[in-house]
């Protein structure tokens, strides 16, 4: 089971919007609406930001939104803030014997 | 509050075994499954496997089959992950993570432990 493909890095200025893509296959992202996104600051555990493609857990800012089209999911961060600088990982349930697959990760830099 | 607290860092020699614990609090332990996820230095996240805290059913990533065992102790609300025949490429931070939805198939992991660094070196 290969990792989902994400861009290595994305950057933006404060207040701007950025979008991170997450490309999988018809066995994972394209097949299930179980796509989630995690934020990870250096030395910290991942934090759930989006589940079921586009749902935010309680306490997560509405500046974070998710979507999916075909085999590609996306995370959009609007009104970029310094605190958003972190690594972001997508994840999906998969029909393979390895039930869950993560993305390669994207480093978000706030300029 | 709901939390998962993991055991401390470990240093092991190649060929040895390591057992990491993950103690849950703030929720009904048997209502949710636990997954284990690892992250090698500077690398991404890798799902290792899952255990039901309700009936101890497990599902392991194919690449770790035969080397990993996940267990739970419901009397202490603790999950364990044991990895055997350690190699240098097993050096990583190991996380436990709670299923967002109980009952088996989950859509995401909503609570994470703080991570346990396991270093494999001769």
């Amino acid at each position: 089971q290969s990792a989902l493909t994400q861009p290595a890095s994305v950057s933006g200025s404060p207040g701007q919007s950025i979008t991170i893509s997450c490309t999988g296959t018809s066995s994972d992202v394209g097949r299930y609406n179980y796509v989630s996104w995690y934020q990870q600051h250096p030395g910290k555990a991942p934090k759930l930001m989006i589940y079921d493609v586009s749902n935010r857990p309680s306490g997560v800012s509405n500046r974070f939104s998710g979507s999916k089209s075909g085999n590609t999911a996306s995370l959009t961060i609007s009104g970029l803030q310094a605190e958003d600088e972190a690594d972001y990982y997508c994840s999906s349930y998969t029909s393979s014997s390895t039930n869950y697959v993560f993305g390669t990760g994207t480093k978000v830099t706030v300029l | 509050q709901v939390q998962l607290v993991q055991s401390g860092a470990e240093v092991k020699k190649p060929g040895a075994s390591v057992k990491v614990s993950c103690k849950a609090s703030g929720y009904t332990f048997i209502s949710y499954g636990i997954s284990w996820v690892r992250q090698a230095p500077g690398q991404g996240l890798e799902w290792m496997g899952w255990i039901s805290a309700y009936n101890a059913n497990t599902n392991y990533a194919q690449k770790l089959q035969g080397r990993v065992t996940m267990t739970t102790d419901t009397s202490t609300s603790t999950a364990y992950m044991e990895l055997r025949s350690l190699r240098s490429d097993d050096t990583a931070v190991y996380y436990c993570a709670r299923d967002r939805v109980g009952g088996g198939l989950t859509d995401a992991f909503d609570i994470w432990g703080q991570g346990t660094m396991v270093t494999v070196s001769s």
Side-chain angles (χ1 to χ4, degrees):
Chain A
Q1 176 67 51
S2 299
L4 307 175
T5 300
Q6 298 180 232
S9 63
V10 173
S11 62
S13 299
Q16 287 187 329
S17 293
I18 61 169
T19 297
I20 303 167
S21 62
C22 169
T23 302
T25 69
S26 57
S27 296
D28 39 64
V29 175
R31 184 166 183 171
Y32 304 99
N33 285 327
Y34 292 159
V35 176
S36 52
W37 289 89
Y38 301 86
Q39 176 191 65
Q40 187 181 35
H41 287 108
K44 300 296 187 180
K47 175 186 176 183
L48 178 63
M49 304 301 284
I50 295 286
Y51 66 92
D52 293 354
V53 176
S54 61
N55 292 299
R56 282 187 309 276
S58 173
V60 172
S61 170
N62 60 8
R63 297 186 298 104
F64 292 84
S65 61
S67 63
K68 189 185 88 167
S69 177
N71 295 339
T72 299
S74 298
L75 174 71
T76 297
I77 309 174
S78 59
L80 201 59
Q81 299 180 1
E83 68 208 50
D84 301 331
E85 189 161 291
D87 293 326
Y88 291 82
Y89 293 91
C90 61
S91 180
S92 174
Y93 183 80
T94 169
S95 59
S96 79
S97 57
T98 296
N99 290 50
Y100 298 94
V101 61
F102 285 94
T104 50
T106 298
K107 181 175 181 59
V108 168
T109 301
V110 180
L111 302 171
Chain B
Q1 75 279 24
V2 176
Q3 62 178 351
L4 300 172
V5 178
Q6 299 182 221
S7 49
E10 304 263 12
V11 179
K12 297 291 183 181
K13 293 191 182 304
S17 299
V18 68
K19 191 170 186 177
V20 179
S21 68
C22 169
K23 184 171 176 60
S25 61
Y27 72 96
T28 302
F29 181 65
I30 60 171
S31 295
Y32 298 86
I34 295 284
S35 279
W36 289 86
V37 176
R38 68 179 180 178
Q39 185 172 36
Q43 302 300 309
L45 302 170
E46 177 187 16
W47 182 82
M48 300 177 65
W50 169 88
I51 182 166
S52 165
Y54 175 72
N55 58 16
N57 283 349
T58 55
N59 194 359
Y60 302 136
Q62 193 167 18
K63 69 175 286 188
L64 294 174
Q65 287 273 2
R67 287 208 300 138
V68 67
T69 301
M70 297 176 186
T71 57
T72 58
D73 181 345
T74 56
S75 69
T76 60
S77 298
T78 302
Y80 298 91
M81 185 285 300
E82 181 179 33
L83 189 61
R84 300 176 294 278
S85 302
L86 289 169
R87 309 186 291 244
S88 58
D89 62 356
D90 291 318
T91 294
V93 176
Y94 289 75
Y95 295 101
C96 58
R98 191 189 78 163
D99 289 352
R100 194 190 74 83
V101 176
L105 174 64
T106 192
D107 54 358
F109 312 113
D110 65 344
I111 305 295
W112 292 66
Q114 83 277 18
T116 297
M117 182 71 213
V118 175
T119 302
V120 182
S121 174
S122 55

